């Protein structure tokens, strides 16, 4: 039972990647083709009852029909259509006609006349509607043909008087999709049609059936989308529709009003029941605001969403949306927001200690209170308090968009956004935090607001906290108390959730660099320095202390007076942090301090970045010194690799570049080492040990080349050539080694053949790059190609060996931007000593949380690997929804991995790591091969390069302690 | 034939009308009598506690007079008098309430009975058995379920927020309808959604108006303040006491704190007093469909009412060291557990008491809220209050805006305000009349309001006639009335509209044709046929949309109207035009005559 369960578990949770061979099914179809229409005909004739015929048609509809036979099939169907008495069969035929005319490559103009003819005598409303639908399909396929469109529209207009809503519906849809849009055409055909499409559709705004009314509005919107300028006269009609009884009508009407408000924002409309006039966009804004308190939540969502995009509205109206006059027993009452603001401006702290501090003050004139304003009053207040979270999210989004375009509004909506941080639904909280970040350029947080914002830092959801850190990164704080408060709360957060370390440091970095003047007065307190006494030196490894230092150092960057306040150990710590956390600590100018042996002296910073320079210099050195004695070359390479790796660690922005070149040099080094083996000439069987070294080198080079090709983003074709070239060399090396170790010639034949093909494909892929590769391995090989093809394997091997030795070292050009894909598993931490216990044969879910950087298309490439102690490995494809995208180039994987195993006697560790899957089919190199060559080469032999799949582990493995217990009997 | 029918409305005794206290409303709608709610007044301990049913019983038994009783929700001021009414006064008809109300109502009644009988030692009160018997008469209804009480009377429940299971009821007889809101809340809270009603356009909307003159601030600020205060106190190591009533707000605050604890990863224990609250929580767990969106959506993973952080309270816990939060009953600190805990904790300034609702004068709650710091307890003991005292209003009634919003949603023809103070209602009444242009009433207790309705009378129309009539002319328009020709037959209390032919057939009558003829004199010296031609051209020029024909016998037809011209027997210069039309063409015929009377245009042709 357990075993069976386990099997099921694996079946369900691990997916096996298989290449699918399509294109085969398409060929099969051809066999049945000639009989298609004939068979249908026979079938339909055989049918004794309508039910039978319907069955045949249904079966027929399941199979696709080729382009050539469509017309024939259509004729047969039409023939039966006229004969058929049963409406349901006719309906099916009509729908089949539509389906068939959708066939790609088939031009339906030949069947249009027939389709229109069938309309004439049709009595059934349902069939009529279906036929009109078919016509719509035909029409959309022939949109270029104006006369066809005109004809169809005329047909539709004729049926508009039909008593069935379905038919009217379809007619309107047809008019909306096909009605004339261009002015010129409209005039030209006016003589024959003499119809104004807008008027026709507008007449149906008052149809008795709500479905038809909806269709009419939708058709109008369709016309607008197709580029017709709607008339302003529609506006008043649309306004009436807002009071419709049916939600779908109201929803569509809201859209229509929005469209009109965008078309005629500045025209003036009168306010009913008064003599005043206002701009149309303001009026529409008020009306849509009104719909935010509609009875149907679908309409509310629609209205709230659209509000966001009405940026032309006057600020007076805009600010009303946040206004809700409070009163209590007919006396004016201030909102909590107003009270908070007042307290703040009066310099007082604390609130709500006294009962009745919110007691209402002045009396209100009863006549002046408007309880249900037709204007925009309080629309957002209502929207943000709605019971459906969909509405709240839409309102937050709209708020965001409006605030982005109006700084004064941004300032006003702040209080409301801050309130949303306490919503019960996490999605809403997250959305409002993001919104706040987006508008943070326009606002400065008051202390009491900051207080509320910071309270959310204790949220247990990591997403929320991280979003909040991002928000704090770009917030403006007004006072030094605010900065202090933020720091205190962030440190609290740090102690509560130590995993947030990086994110908090980063947040403090920005906070410091944005508010240098506010941090300055806080420095003595933060560093706990004393004017007279020496204070104990804080622990350098304490994350909280580092956090404080990050804040101070970043503030000090633009505040030259600050370093004077530092104590001695602070400078030492600076030097240490500058080295170990260079991405968080900026270079500081610290004059007159010997202790600070900053690697950056001010004179160099003025021009080019020194580390960049260093990188190029060391590379130059390597490339120039290739004719040294082998020993020297090896040493130089080793040193350079070491330098580059260190540089990568120090300079995060150069890390990708440095690692990339280091890997390349490593390959080169391995190759040289392998070729340096002195015992190449001796008979093979005696030197197995050396061969092992050489073949291991070849294998490693291959692996490294795949890493270079697929793990870095920003690799250009120039680099790809070099990488492939290196791979070719490794393969040559492999061939030589195999030739040495195996007896007999037979296996070599195949290998040589394969290798030569690879050379061939290399040449084909990179023909344009070959001129740049003078003197390289492949250049020489191609010269020798005619000889190679004809010679025996042993000779080939010999030639290869000499070419490999003689070939020069190719210069690797560096692209502008190069980033290495990295992954970091945050959870599980691998520190737990408590084994995860579960019953063997059942599954246990392991939460995996990882950050990914510079991974393109993580949904397709990132996998989770689980290695069991018995060597069993399991690869899990996370769901696409498990990946989140918090910023450009960054991804976050939060997923669950299901583990299962047979019982163990004691707990043991398993390894979890992330893999980057690659497939050379997708690689940039093969993308260049034109499709035709690909299919040609299919005829011959499959390219060896094609379809090589593999995975690169790109995160540190994490150990998880698990213990599958035997099931209790 | 316009029959006026009326809805009469009556509030029984003190409370329901212009007062907050108890609800009991009598509605007569098209001959049906319905009682809405059967509440009691918590302030009285004598006969005034229950509504005065003698108004009804003077004419006979309750069951004969009332068609049904509807209870909107389980608060005692809406259902407290039910056992008294049904068992002691005597009512055997159906009582309607929603499922949660039916489940929770008996618990509250039993609790109330215990306090009055067992503790205060009153006699002549209903017994446990009476509560049980009364509940047997209850019919539970679902939301939006139309229940047919008898052949004509039907009721339908809508969601009202307020408390679990609270509902608004639509009562309908024929085409007349009343909506009774009970207590409702238009803004959602942490455990319940907002009230909602469709555009049912009732003749009368009876709405509560507790907060007729208040527009409330957003709930979020209050929640945030509440959480912040609790959080700060707990972080300081203080204890928080929240006196609540067992049902309603207690659950909302529990959910609020529970989710906050969950979110913020807090560890301090939260307790609620056992007994009633525990029992009620069980029902909150069961009736998930009645709660708000969040709870409904997440209950598959975890039922929010299965509290993780909130545990049952034990008397001994109050002395435990360290921070804690305790919900204790009753809400006004006048007795029981909450008062005991308050006395224990009052001396420490680190602690805090949060009053989440209104406190009646004379209670400890009211005293401390008004700032009193030294309290005299029983036995001349002086209790010094050092703990912080906070007030947080978490009310679940609709405010003025909410009431207006509901009126906008339902579009009633008349509004009637109950359950509020007269002065405040006056303001709202004025507003409603001004904004919606509907008449608004606010009867006093015991006052009867009669509202005349304009009922629409349904008439059956034969399909053939309908099709024929709609085919004529343009498409039918919803907004505009349409003229139809047909015969109305009133027979056996039913109305039918049929075509004239069919009516004749049914009644066995022969058809008579009514024809109007009219002579028009025209001065025209020309020959007869020339005159005819002129008339013909003239009419053709004007009546473009009609078929005007010149027949070979010298007459003209316009549609079915015949025009003939003869020379005047005496004066050859005068032509007599004979116009003849049937009754059906009266409109066109009279138009034609008036047209011809104006004479022919003086044209040369």
């Amino acid at each position: 039972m357990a075993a069976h369960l386990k099997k099921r578990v694996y079946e369900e949770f691990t997916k096996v990647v298989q290449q699918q061979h399509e294109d085969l099914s398409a060929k099969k179809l051809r066999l049945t083709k000639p009989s298609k229409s004939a068979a249908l005909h026979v079938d339909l004739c055989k049918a004794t009852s309508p039910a039978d015929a319907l069955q045949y048609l249904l079966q027929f509809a399941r199979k696709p029909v080729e382009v050539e036979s469509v017309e024939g099939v259509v004729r047969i169907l039409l023939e039966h259509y006229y004969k058929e008495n049963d409406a349901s069969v006719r309906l099916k035929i009509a729908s089949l006609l539509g389906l068939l005319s959708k066939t790609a490559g088939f031009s339906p103009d030949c069947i249009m006349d027939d389709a229109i003819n069938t309309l004439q005598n049709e009595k059934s409303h349902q069939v009529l509607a279906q036929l009109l639908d078919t016509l719509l399909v035909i029409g959309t396929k022939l949109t270029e043909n104006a006369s066809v469109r005109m004809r169809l529209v005329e047909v539709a207009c004729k049926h508009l008087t039909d008593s069935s809503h379905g038919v009217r519906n379809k007619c309107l849809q047809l008019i909306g999709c096909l009605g004339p849009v261009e002015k010129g055409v409209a005039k030209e055909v006016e003589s024959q049609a003499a119809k104004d499409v807008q008027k026709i559709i507008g007449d149906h705004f008052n149809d008795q059936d709500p479905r038809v009314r909806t269709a009419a509005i939708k058709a109008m919107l369709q016309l607008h989308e197709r580029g017709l300028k709607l008339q302003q006269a529609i506006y008043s009609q649309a306004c009436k529709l807002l009071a419709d009884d049916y939600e779908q009508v109201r929803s569509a009407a809201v859209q229509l009003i929005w469209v009109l408000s965008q078309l005629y924002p500045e025209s003036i409309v009168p306010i009913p029941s008064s003599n005043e006039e206002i701009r149309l966009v303001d009026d529409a804004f008020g009306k849509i605001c009104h719909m935010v308190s509609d009875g149907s939540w679908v309409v509310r969502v629609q209205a709230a969403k659209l509000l966001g995009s009405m940026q032309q509205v006057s600020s007076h109206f805009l600010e009303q949306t946040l206004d809700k006059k409070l009163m209590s027993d007919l006396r004016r009452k201030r909102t909590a927001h107003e009270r908070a603001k007042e307290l703040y401006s009066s310099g007082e702290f604390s609130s709500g200690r006294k009962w009745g501090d919110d007691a209402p003050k002045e009396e209100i004139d009863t006549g002046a209170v408007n309880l249900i304003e037709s204007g925009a009053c309080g629309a957002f207040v209502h929207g943000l308090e709605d019971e459906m979270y969909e509405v709240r999210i839409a309102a937050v989004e709209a708020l965001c968009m409006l605030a982005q375009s109006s700084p004064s509004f941004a300032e006003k909506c702040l209080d409301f956004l801050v309130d949303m941080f306490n919503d019960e639904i996490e999605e809403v909280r997250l959305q409002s935090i993001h919104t706040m970040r987006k508008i943070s350029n326009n606002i400065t947080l008051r202390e009491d607001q900051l207080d509320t914002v910071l309270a959310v830092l204790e949220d247990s959801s990591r997403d929320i906290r991280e979003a909040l850190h991002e928000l704090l990164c770009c917030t403006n704080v007004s006072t030094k108390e605010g900065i202090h408060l933020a720091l205190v709360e962030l440190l609290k957060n740090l102690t509560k959730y130590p995993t947030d370390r990086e994110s908090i440091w980063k947040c403090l970095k920005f906070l410091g660099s944005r508010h240098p003047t506010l941090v300055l007065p806080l420095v003595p307190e933060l560093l706990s320095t004393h004017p007279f006494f020496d204070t104990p030196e804080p622990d350098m490894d304490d994350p909280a202390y580092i956090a404080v230092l990050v804040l101070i150092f970043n503030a000090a960057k633009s505040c030259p007076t600050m370093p004077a306040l530092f104590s001695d150990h602070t400078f030492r710590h600076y030097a240490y942090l500058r080295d170990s956390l260079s991405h968080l600590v900026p270079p500081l100018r610290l004059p007159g301090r010997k202790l600070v042996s900053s690697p950056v002296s001010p004179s160099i910073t003025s021009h080019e970045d020194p580390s960049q320079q260093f990188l190029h210099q060391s590379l130059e050195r390597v490339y120039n010194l290739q004719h040294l004695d082998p020993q020297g070359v090896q040493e130089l390479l080793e040193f350079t690799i070491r330098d580059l790796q260190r540089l990568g660690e120090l300079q995060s922005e150069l890390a990708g570049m440095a690692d990339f070149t280091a890997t390349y040099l490593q390959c080169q080094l391995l190759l040289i080492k392998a070729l340096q083996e002195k015992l190449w000439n001796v008979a093979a069987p005696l030197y197995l040990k050396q061969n092992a070294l050489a073949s291991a080198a070849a294998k490693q080079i291959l692996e490294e080349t795949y890493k270079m090709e697929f793990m870095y983003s920003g690799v250009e074709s120039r680099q790809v050539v070099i990488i492939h070239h290196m791979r070719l060399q490794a393969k040559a090396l492999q061939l030589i080694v195999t030739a040495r170790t195996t007896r007999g010639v037979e296996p070599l034949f195949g290998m040589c053949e394969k290798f030569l093909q690879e050379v061939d494909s290399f040449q084909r892929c990179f023909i344009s790059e070959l001129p740049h590769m003078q003197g390289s391995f492949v250049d020489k090989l191609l010269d020798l190609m005619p000889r190679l093809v004809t010679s025996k394997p042993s000779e080939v091997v010999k030639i290869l060996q000499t070419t490999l030795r003689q070939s020069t070292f190719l210069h690797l050009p560096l692209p502008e931007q190069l980033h290495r894909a990295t992954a970091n598993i945050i959870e599980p931490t691998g520190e737990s000593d408590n084994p995860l216990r579960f019953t063997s044969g059942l599954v246990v879910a392991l939460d995996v949380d990882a950050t990914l950087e510079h991974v393109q298309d993580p949904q397709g490439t990132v996998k989770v690997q689980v290695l069991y102690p018995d060597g069993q490995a399991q690869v899990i494809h996370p769901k696409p929804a498990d990946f989140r995208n918090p910023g450009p180039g960054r991804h976050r994987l939060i997923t669950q991995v299901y583990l299962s195993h047979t019982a163990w006697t004691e707990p043991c560790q398993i390894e979890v790591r992330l893999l980057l899957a690659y497939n050379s089919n997708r690689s940039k190199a093969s993308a260049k091969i034109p499709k035709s060559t690909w299919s040609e080469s299919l005829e011959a032999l499959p390219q060896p390069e094609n379809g090589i799949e593999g995975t690169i582990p790109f995160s540190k493995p994490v150990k998880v302690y698990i213990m599958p217990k035997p099931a209790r009997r | 034939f316009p029959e006026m029918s009326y809805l009469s409305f009556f509030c029984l005794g003190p409370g329901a009308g212009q007062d907050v206290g108890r609800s009991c409303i009598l509605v007569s709608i098209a001959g049906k009598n319905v009682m809405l709610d059967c509440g009691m007044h918590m302030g009285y301990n004598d006969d005034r506690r229950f509504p005065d049913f003698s108004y009804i019983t003077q004419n006979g038994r309750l069951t004969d007079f009332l068609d049904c009783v509807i209870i909107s929700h389980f608060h005692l001021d809406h259902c407290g008098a039910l056992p008294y009414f049904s068992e002691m006064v005597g009512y055997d008809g159906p009582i309607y309430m929603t499922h949660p109300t039916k489940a929770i109502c008996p618990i509250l009644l039993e609790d109330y009975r215990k306090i009055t009988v067992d503790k205060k030692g009153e006699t002549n009160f209903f017994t446990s058995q009476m509560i049980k018997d009364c509940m047997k008469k209850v019919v539970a209804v679902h939301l939006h379920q139309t229940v047919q009480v008898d052949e004509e009377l039907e009721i339908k429940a809508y969601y009202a927020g307020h408390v679990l299971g609270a509902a608004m009821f639509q009562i309908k007889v024929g085409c007349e309808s009343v909506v009774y809101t009970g207590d409702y809340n238009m803004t959602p809270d942490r455990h319940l959604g907002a009230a909602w009603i469709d555009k049912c356009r009732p003749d009368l909307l009876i709405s509560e108006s507790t907060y007729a003159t208040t527009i409330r601030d957003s709930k979020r600020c209050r929640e945030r303040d509440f959480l912040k205060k609790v959080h700060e106190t707990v972080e300081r190591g203080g204890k928080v006491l929240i006196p609540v009533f067992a049902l309603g707000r207690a659950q909302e605050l529990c959910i609020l704190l529970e989710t906050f604890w969950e979110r913020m990863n807090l560890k301090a224990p939260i307790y609620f007093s056992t007994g009633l609250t525990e029992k009620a929580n069980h029902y909150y767990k069961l009736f998930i469909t009645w709660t708000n969106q969040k709870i409904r959506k997440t209950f598959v993973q975890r039922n929010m009412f299965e509290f993780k952080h909130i545990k049952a309270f034990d008397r001994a816990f109050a002395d435990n060291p360290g921070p804690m939060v305790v919900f204790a009953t009753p809400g006004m600190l006048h007795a029981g557990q909450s008062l005991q805990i308050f006395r224990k904790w009052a001396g420490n300034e680190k602690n805090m008491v949060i009053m989440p609702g209104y406190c009646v004068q004379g209670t400890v709650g009211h005293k401390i809220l008004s700032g009193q710091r030294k309290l005299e307890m029983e036995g001349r003991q002086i209790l010094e209050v050092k703990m912080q005292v906070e007030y947080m209003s978490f009310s679940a009634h609709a405010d003025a805006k909410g009431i207006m919003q509901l009126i906008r949603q339902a579009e009633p023809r008349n509004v009637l305000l109950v359950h509020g103070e007269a002065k405040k209602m006056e303001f709202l009444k004025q507003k409603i009349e001004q904004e919606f242009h509907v008449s608004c009433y606010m009867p006093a207790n015991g006052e009867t309001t009669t509202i005349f309705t304009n009922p629409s009378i349904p008439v059956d129309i034969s399909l053939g006639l309908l099709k024929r009539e709609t085919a004529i002319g343009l498409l039918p328009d919803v907004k505009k009335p349409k003229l139809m020709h047909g015969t109305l037959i009133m027979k056996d209390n039913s109305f039918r509209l049929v075509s004239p032919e069919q009516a004749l057939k049914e009644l066995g009558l022969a058809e008579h044709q009514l024809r109007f003829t009219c002579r028009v004199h025209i001065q025209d010296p020309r020959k007869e046929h020339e005159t005819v031609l002129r008339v013909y051209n003239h009419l053709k020029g004007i009546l473009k949309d009609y078929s005007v024909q010149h027949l070979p016998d010298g007459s003209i037809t316009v549609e079915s109207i015949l025009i003939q011209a003869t020379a005047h027997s005496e004066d050859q210069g005068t032509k007599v035009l004979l116009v003849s039309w049937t009754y059906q063409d009266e409109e066109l015929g009279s138009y034609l005559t008036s047209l011809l009377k104006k004479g022919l245009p003086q044209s040369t042709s």
Side-chain angles (χ1 to χ4, degrees), chain B residues 482-497:
Chain B
K482 189 170 163 64
L483 198 67
M484 280 192 148
H485 293 271
T487 315
L488 184 72
I489 302 180
M490 293 193 283
K491 210 161 125 192
D492 318 327
N493 243 341
S494 74
F495 304 97
R496 282 187 306 137
L497 193 67

Side-chain angles (χ1 to χ4, degrees), chain A residues 838-879:
Chain A
F838 62 98
T839 307
S840 66
L842 298 180
V843 282
V844 66
L846 178 72
D847 286 308
V848 174
D849 184 348
T851 52
L852 315 169
E853 272 182 64
H854 305 296
V855 182
Q856 291 154 324
D857 180 31
Q859 283 92 337
T861 54
V862 177
K863 324 261 181 244
V864 183
Q865 190 187 35
V866 179
L867 275 174
Y868 292 95
D870 60 355
Q872 196 184 26
Q874 185 191 348
V875 176
I876 296 114
H877 297 217
K879 290 194 291 279

Side-chain angles (χ1 to χ4, degrees), chain B residues 68-256:
Chain B
C68 74
V69 175
I70 293 170
I71 303 294
S72 66
H73 63 280
F74 61 65
H75 277 158
L76 286 180
D77 59 339
H78 288 260
C79 71
L82 205 55
Y84 168 77
F85 161 77
S86 75
E87 304 309 311
M88 297 172 82
V89 182
Y91 169 75
D92 298 320
I95 301 168
Y96 291 95
M97 51 176 85
T98 61
H99 285 274
T101 310
K102 188 186 175 184
I104 298 172
C105 193
I107 307 178
L108 283 177
L109 287 171
E110 182 61 34
D111 187 61
Y112 175 55
R113 190 197 64 81
K114 256 190 214 158
I115 291 173
T116 13
V117 177
D118 299 353
K119 290 220 173 127
K120 292 181 187 163
E122 276 186 45
T123 49
N124 192 20
F125 204 73
F126 53 78
T127 61
S128 297
Q129 190 54 43
M130 283 180 180
I131 300 176
K132 276 179 201 155
D133 290 341
C134 165
M135 294 321 283
K136 277 179 198 154
K137 293 173 187 167
V138 170
V139 182
V141 297
H142 294 282
L143 278 186
H144 303 185
Q145 174 198 9
T146 307
V147 180
Q148 209 76 37
V149 177
D150 57 32
E151 266 171 23
E152 288 157 10
L153 177 66
E154 61 182 45
I155 60 171
K156 184 177 173 186
Y158 291 96
Y159 190 76
H162 190 61
V163 288
L164 190 77
M168 307 189 277
F169 279 90
Q170 185 192 29
I171 302 132
K172 203 169 167 189
V173 181
C175 55
E176 287 166 47
S177 60
V178 176
V179 168
Y180 173 60
T181 63
D183 289 350
Y184 63 102
N185 188 8
M186 292 301 281
T187 45
D189 62 31
R190 287 286 168 150
H191 73 310
L192 296 174
W196 180 86
I197 197 164
D198 53 18
K199 261 188 202 176
C200 51
R201 301 197 172 91
D203 291 301
L204 175 66
L205 177 85
I206 304 171
S207 169
E208 65 134 338
S209 54
T210 320
Y211 286 95
T213 53
T214 303
I215 301 177
R216 264 202 307 262
D217 198 358
S218 130
K219 203 149 196 157
R220 294 179 188 286
C221 296
R222 271 176 283 152
E223 283 177 1
R224 203 187 57 210
D225 275 4
F226 172 76
L227 292 174
K228 204 175 142 192
K229 278 170 190 165
V230 173
H231 189 188
E232 276 172 2
T233 314
V234 167
E235 271 201 340
R236 262 203 315 267
K239 297 177 169 65
V240 184
L241 171 66
I242 307 170
V244 284
F245 287 105
L247 285 164
R249 282 329 93 201
Q251 276 71 25
E252 186 192 351
L253 294 177
C254 278
I255 287 275
L256 190 61

Side-chain angles (χ1 to χ4, degrees), chain A residues 418-569:
Chain A
V418 170
D419 278 350
M420 296 307 285
F421 284 16
N422 280 321
D423 196 274
E424 55 189 342
I425 305 247
E426 182 173 331
E427 237 173 306
V428 181
R429 295 201 293 269
L430 205 57
Q431 180 70 37
S432 36
I433 295 175
H434 284 316
T435 299
M436 185 101 137
R437 194 192 69 225
K438 283 180 201 151
I439 62 171
S440 56
N441 295 332
N442 288 338
I443 52 165
T444 307
L445 282 181
R446 279 200 324 265
E447 223 164 282
D448 57 312
Q449 290 165 334
L450 189 71
D451 200 28
T452 327
V453 171
L454 290 172
V456 187
L457 273 177
E458 286 192 44
D459 204 299
S460 59
S461 152
R462 197 194 172 98
D463 283 340
I464 295 270
R465 291 198 310 270
E466 265 167 23
L468 209 61
H469 294 157
E470 297 261 324
L471 163 66
L472 285 177
C473 282
C474 45
T475 324
N476 299 317
V477 180
S478 48
T479 59
K480 78 173 174 38
E481 282 82 13
I483 292 279
H484 194 232
L485 198 65
L487 181 69
V488 168
E489 290 291 331
L490 282 170
L491 291 181
K492 225 195 243 174
N493 173 359
L494 189 64
T495 42
K496 204 162 180 180
Y497 306 98
T499 45
D500 286 357
R501 199 167 67 181
E502 283 290 328
S503 171
I504 288 175
W505 286 344
K506 203 183 108 207
C507 170
L508 283 167
K509 174 188 170 186
F510 284 100
L511 215 55
S513 54
R514 282 178 89 94
H515 309 96
T517 47
L518 296 180
V519 175
L520 184 62
L522 289 172
V523 168
E525 188 189 342
L526 293 180
L527 292 176
S528 53
T529 49
H530 194 276
F532 310 125
F533 303 115
D534 268 345
T535 42
E537 182 173 335
D539 179 14
M540 194 55 246
D541 291 328
D542 180 11
Y545 180 61
I546 296 178
V548 174
L549 286 185
V550 166
L551 175 78
I552 293 177
F553 289 147
N554 278 291
K557 194 181 174 191
S558 46
C559 183
T561 50
M562 206 182 282
L565 298 168
F566 295 173
S567 56
D568 284 349
H569 55 79

Side-chain angles (χ1 to χ4, degrees), chain A residues 204 206 243-245 290 293 295 324-330 335-337 352-353 355 366-367 369-373 384-390 392 419-424 429 451-452 455 458-460 492 496-497, chain B residues 187-188 190 193-194 196 199 201 213-221 224 228-229 231 235 262-266 292-294 297 369-370 388-391 400-401 404-405 408-409 424 427-428 431 435 475-478:
Chain A
H204 286 265
N206 294 324
D244 201 279
D245 281 7
H290 202 52
S293 48
K324 188 182 170 187
K325 294 265 180 312
L326 298 192
M327 60 175 191
S328 172
D329 287 350
L330 286 181
T335 63
H337 292 150
R353 283 290 129 81
W355 181 43
T366 45
V369 184
N370 219 4
L371 283 181
I372 242 186
E373 292 87 342
L384 293 176
E385 266 186 43
D386 200 276
E387 66 170 317
M388 307 300 280
Y389 84 95
E390 291 90 342
R392 297 200 296 269
D419 278 350
M420 296 307 285
F421 284 16
N422 280 321
D423 196 274
E424 55 189 342
R429 295 201 293 269
D451 200 28
T452 327
E458 286 192 44
D459 204 299
S460 59
K492 225 195 243 174
K496 204 162 180 180
Y497 306 98
Chain B
T187 45
R190 287 286 168 150
W196 180 86
K199 261 188 202 176
R201 301 197 172 91
T213 53
T214 303
I215 301 177
R216 264 202 307 262
D217 198 358
S218 130
K219 203 149 196 157
R220 294 179 188 286
C221 296
R224 203 187 57 210
K228 204 175 142 192
K229 278 170 190 165
H231 189 188
E235 271 201 340
E262 184 98 24
R263 256 181 72 196
M264 297 301 183
N265 238 332
L266 300 179
N292 74 4
Q293 189 192 22
K294 157 96 178 173
K297 284 207 166 158
L369 277 181
S370 45
Q388 293 173 54
V389 179
E390 300 284 352
Y391 174 73
K401 267 209 160 170
M404 298 299 265
Q405 207 178 330
R408 184 162 87 103
Q409 272 183 19
K424 296 182 179 179
F427 163 78
L428 193 65
K431 284 294 155 199
E435 302 273 348
L475 275 173
D477 188 339
V478 251

